[in-house]
């Protein structure tokens, strides 16, 4: 599978498994799973045929590990990022003291006014490192990285969960827990 097809297939899977399973006639179960055979048949029926071998390549080679197979390999789901209602069954987890959120600089005024909100998704997505946050922010324009005081949030009773692909999830982040990176050495690369 060439790189172009790999990316196109990954984007199709993201749309179907995170946002619009009905576009190919699928319904996800309550935890976001759908049978692999059912998915492949639905994609083929919608004119977007993908073989099981191609699906395996997309899941294995996606640098963001967006998708996961069930233990028996018969079902698949997106690891996080859903705009459709699903319960991934992720247990509460103790976050690192600081997490990061990548965004476009044009969004900063609204974020510092309203905080980080899930918008069309179920959760706010946070990263454990600035490199990942920068990549995420760059998808939306000129990136900037915000520091999230996850320790203070957790101490105040906010719940965090971590997805199968290492993305930290929480319901929202109030402005008081947000700051711009400081000039210390580990943050200079994101300025």
């Amino acid at each position: 599978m060439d790189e172009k097809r790999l990316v196109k297939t990954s984007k199709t899977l993201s749309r179907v498994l995170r946002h619009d399973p009905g576009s190919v006639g699928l319904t996800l179960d309550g935890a976001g799973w759908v049978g692999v055979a059912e998915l492949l048949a639905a994609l083929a029926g919608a004119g977007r045929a993908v073989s099981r071998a191609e699906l395996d390549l997309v899941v294995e080679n996606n640098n963001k590990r967006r998708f996961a197979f069930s233990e028996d390999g018969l079902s698949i789901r997106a690891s996080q990022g859903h705009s459709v209602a699903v319960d991934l069954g992720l247990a509460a987890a103790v976050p690192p003291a600081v997490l990061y959120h990548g965004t476009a600089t044009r969004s900063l005024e609204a974020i510092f006014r309203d905080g980080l909100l899930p918008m069309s998704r179920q959760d706010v997505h946070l990263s454990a490192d600035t490199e990942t946050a920068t990549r995420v922010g760059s998808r939306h324009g000129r990136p900037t990285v915000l520091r999230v005081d996850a320790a203070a949030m957790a101490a105040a009773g906010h719940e965090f969960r971590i997805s199968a692909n290492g993305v930290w999830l929480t319901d929202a982040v109030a402005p008081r827990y947000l700051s711009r990176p400081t000039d210390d050495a580990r943050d200079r690369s994101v300025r």
Side-chain angles (χ1 to χ4, degrees):
M1 175 181 274
D2 67 22
E3 185 66 23
K4 185 176 179 181
R5 180 158 167 82
L6 187 78
V7 169
K8 184 177 181 180
T9 302
S10 179
K11 287 182 178 186
T12 297
L13 290 174
S14 286
R15 187 173 51 77
V16 169
L17 296 176
R18 294 165 107 185
H19 308 298
D20 193 8
S23 69
V24 295
L26 290 175
T27 301
L28 306 178
D29 75 9
W33 296 104
V34 67
V36 170
E38 186 181 357
L39 171 67
L40 295 176
L43 290 171
R48 299 180 187 108
V50 175
S51 71
R52 175 62 196 243
E54 289 173 322
L55 183 64
D56 290 346
L57 277 173
V58 170
V59 172
E60 290 169 18
N61 293 312
N62 185 276
N63 63 344
K64 296 174 186 167
R65 298 181 323 209
R66 283 192 170 124
F67 316 105
F69 288 118
S70 58
E71 287 186 28
D72 62 9
L74 298 178
S75 296
I76 188 171
R77 74 176 178 185
S79 296
Q80 56 30 254
H82 298 81
S83 59
V84 296
V86 298
D87 180 358
L88 297 175
L90 302 173
V94 177
V98 175
L99 288 168
Y100 301 93
H101 181 79
T103 190
T105 55
R106 69 178 178 275
S107 303
L108 288 176
E109 184 179 332
I111 290 171
F112 280 113
R113 181 186 63 238
D114 303 327
L116 293 173
L117 304 171
M119 308 306 278
S120 64
R121 298 188 182 193
Q122 290 187 242
D123 298 291
V124 170
H125 296 187
L126 304 171
S127 304
D129 60 81
T130 58
E131 294 80 16
T132 301
T134 300
R135 276 195 310 276
V136 170
S138 67
R139 292 190 325 227
H140 307 288
R142 187 169 151 236
T144 191
V145 173
L146 299 174
R147 206 184 258 260
V148 176
D149 188 347
M153 285 182 66
H158 295 274
E159 184 177 286
F160 290 84
R161 297 165 314 285
I162 188 165
S163 69
N165 61 341
V167 175
W168 284 90
L169 308 171
T170 193
D171 294 336
V173 179
R176 68 181 168 274
Y177 299 115
L178 297 170
S179 63
R180 298 288 301 266
T182 63
D183 281 335
D184 64 32
R186 62 179 180 243
D187 290 323
R188 283 193 188 133
S189 63
V190 298
R191 287 203 167 258

